Amino acid sequence: MKTFAKILVANRGEIACRVLRSARALGYRTVAVYSDADRDAPHVRLADEALRLGPPSPRESYLCIERLLAACAASGAQAVHPGYGFLSENPDFAQACVDAGLVFIGPPPQAVRRMGNKAEAKRLMRAAGVPCIPGYEGADQSDAAFLAAARELELPLMVKAAAGGGGRGMRLVADFAELPAALAAARSEAAAAFGSGELILEQALAAPRHVEVQIFADAHGNAIHLGERDCSVQRRHQKLIEETPCPTVTPELRERMGEAAVAAAKAIGYSGAGTVEFLLQGGQFYFMEMNTRLQVEHTVTEMITGLDLVAWQIAVAAGAPLPLRQEEVALRGHAIEARLCAEDPAAGFAPRTGPVLLWQPPEGKGVRVDHGLRQGMEVTAHYDSLLAKIIAHGRDREEARRRLHAALEQCRLLGVPSNKRFLAECLEQEDFIAGRAATDFIERHAHLCAPRAPAPAAVAAAATAMLELRWRARLPQPTLAHWRNSGNAVSHLTLDMDGEPMSLTATAAGDGYGLEWQEQRVEVTVLERHADGLRLAVEGRQMHVPVVAAGDGTLYLEVDGDPVTVTDCSAAAPRAAADAGRSGAVTPPMNGRIVAVLVQAGERVRQGQALLVLESMKMEHTLTAPCAGVVAALLCRAGDQVAPGRPLAHIEAQAA
């Protein structure tokens, strides 16, 4: 047995909090690390002590092996838990920990290295008898070699980064003519994300299920599986909703997939927690990759097994044998997880940044929330968009689904945009209710991502909140604000609601307002005023509306589960002429870093042509020309940190 008393968690956010809680519950002293962007983050407060790594950039903080090892030495930590993401699957980090005399709470470095490269992993799995998708994993990385291999396969094809995952370095190819461009784009993204541009090619299956098996092994030769998870609801090849057990996996299929996953682990001398990922179609499963770490969605497995997988990781790293045999593993009920992310589904799931002005996680029977949020903190562009995981357990799938939907409705997050409403609506789709979700679920339910006009209740609540803010600013007693010796006050409002202009007329009526806009009239009564919002009666229907104000006067509300951002533009000068003059302007939709400039000043471009590549929250986004013309001005360089609204380029419109 290996003895250690202090564990350093080499990560941040919700996974750092998750690991810290289990480690402390087991009696270990804990050490957190942080970047300057995270100096007051919840994981820093939760640990017994915390050490600064460096600036916000991951390369200078959470990805810097030297600084992490220095933190271990400075704190006296004898063991390191890598969490997931960052360096969790970096064999050099695992080896560096071992070489420094530290216990790495994860698999052996050689196992991480073998599975860290998809090409080598597939070769090993074929040798172990694990079914694999037809494809190409050759050493010849030329376009010619890929094209020759592609013509031996059936379209569509999938180009993948050999050294990473998470959707980065992946491109779907529907036509052989698209392959060269897909290879170039995938190489660039893979090199930036993983430090390697090596690629593999696979035959793409038509709408399979993404099903993974949780395995656990120890250093004594024991290996078991803890059932499967269905992770088919994805965007950009990244998971959003996960559940266990998979609705279509039979006990016989579970046994076969579990045996294949255990064989994969034994083939590489694995120990610790890991996940073998498969694509499942028509009862046949194919190896996709192995994640040599704890998964984001390990929580649903914990919910149905009653086990603490982090505690298992620590015990196995210390040299203990697995506490259960395969026949002793019991799976009880059903669990579903939804990933709450700072992103905008209506903008192609583009990541978003902003302040956390209100955060109230849901509670209730069978509900669990893993998060690293604190009211008042800032969500930046430096790290992944995942904010929290909301998990629900039930006696059966339908009970778990209902509980998760209710938890999402109860969850309160204002300030930073999120996908909360989208997740709740996914759970209400007939395909999901019936257990038919495959990897094309979001594509087939694209209407869920479409921008929507604000509902009358949302307009009424937003206008009322803005009027209340006005009155409170003017009078010490807001209840007297509507009184006039000539009758009730009439106000004219021009609001910006989530980017859409809205003009209203408001007439004070008792303790409320009569609101008129676009041939609609709605009566609103203010029933109660609270520090965190209002209780309103909109046309007689009572509702609690959380409301918070930012320092610039912007109001953030939630009405019927929908977040609403409102700005009072009543006194603003008309901007139409100025906006028209910027028709050729290119501005970033989010905070981020320019990683590539693809054009030069004076170059002629066509509408939709790629101009710049912006990296935000570990994803790359291509900014394109808004019109055909000439690049009249190029106002940024690779490496620049940029914010929404900053001009990056200007295209002087010309006829194509």
Side-chain angles (χ1 to χ4, degrees), residues 225-243:
H225 72 86
L226 302 175
E228 81 288 348
R229 299 185 288 254
D230 189 319
C231 309
S232 299
V233 180
Q234 307 175 359
R235 47 82 174 107
R236 297 194 304 258
H237 307 292
Q238 293 182 318
K239 305 160 189 173
L240 277 183
I241 299 175
E242 303 103 343
E243 62 180 301

Side-chain angles (χ1 to χ4, degrees), residues 38-107:
D38 284 337
R39 62 181 177 273
D40 202 27
H43 78 276
V44 174
R45 298 182 174 196
L46 187 61
D48 293 309
E49 57 187 289
L51 283 81
R52 176 184 179 271
L53 291 176
S57 166
R59 294 186 183 279
E60 298 178 271
S61 53
Y62 299 105
L63 290 176
C64 184
I65 294 176
E66 293 78 11
R67 295 184 182 185
L68 287 164
L69 294 179
C72 289
S75 65
Q78 303 111 342
V80 177
H81 194 299
Y84 44 66
F86 290 134
L87 294 171
S88 62
E89 292 183 282
N90 185 308
D92 294 335
F93 178 55
Q95 188 63 57
C97 289
V98 173
D99 293 344
L102 300 166
V103 174
F104 183 72
I105 303 177

Side-chain angles (χ1 to χ4, degrees), residues 161-249:
R168 296 183 292 279
M170 292 181 66
R171 294 295 185 276
L172 182 66
V173 177
D175 188 284
F176 292 123
E178 301 172 3
L179 186 58
L183 291 169
R187 280 194 189 100
S188 172
E189 191 169 283
F194 312 115
S196 170
E198 184 182 357
L199 303 175
I200 66 171
L201 191 67
E202 290 181 346
Q203 191 167 305
L205 302 180
R209 282 183 179 268
H210 183 153
V211 180
E212 61 190 26
V213 176
Q214 175 72 61
I215 61 98
F216 234 103
D218 61 26
H220 306 281
N222 304 306
I224 63 173
H225 72 86
L226 302 175
E228 81 288 348
R229 299 185 288 254
D230 189 319
C231 309
S232 299
V233 180
Q234 307 175 359
R235 47 82 174 107
R236 297 194 304 258
H237 307 292
Q238 293 182 318
K239 305 160 189 173
L240 277 183
I241 299 175
E242 303 103 343
E243 62 180 301
T244 185
C246 172
T248 60
V249 168

Side-chain angles (χ1 to χ4, degrees), residues 358-422:
L358 177 66
W359 168 241
Q360 295 174 351
E363 299 175 343
K365 185 176 181 180
V367 173
R368 166 179 168 177
V369 180
D370 283 15
H371 70 90
L373 294 177
R374 177 182 58 79
Q375 203 158 291
M377 69 182 288
E378 186 82 15
V379 176
T380 73
H382 296 291
Y383 313 117
D384 191 88
S385 64
L386 179 64
L387 299 174
K389 304 179 310 193
I390 302 175
I391 312 103
H393 178 265
R395 291 168 296 181
D396 54 31
R397 185 173 186 271
E398 179 57 17
E399 184 173 74
R401 186 195 69 82
R402 288 196 310 268
R403 283 179 171 171
L404 181 56
H405 186 270
L408 286 166
E409 291 287 316
Q410 183 189 351
C411 180
R412 299 284 180 261
L413 175 64
L414 293 178
V416 61
S418 79
N419 62 346
K420 182 172 82 82
R421 183 71 249 169
F422 173 82

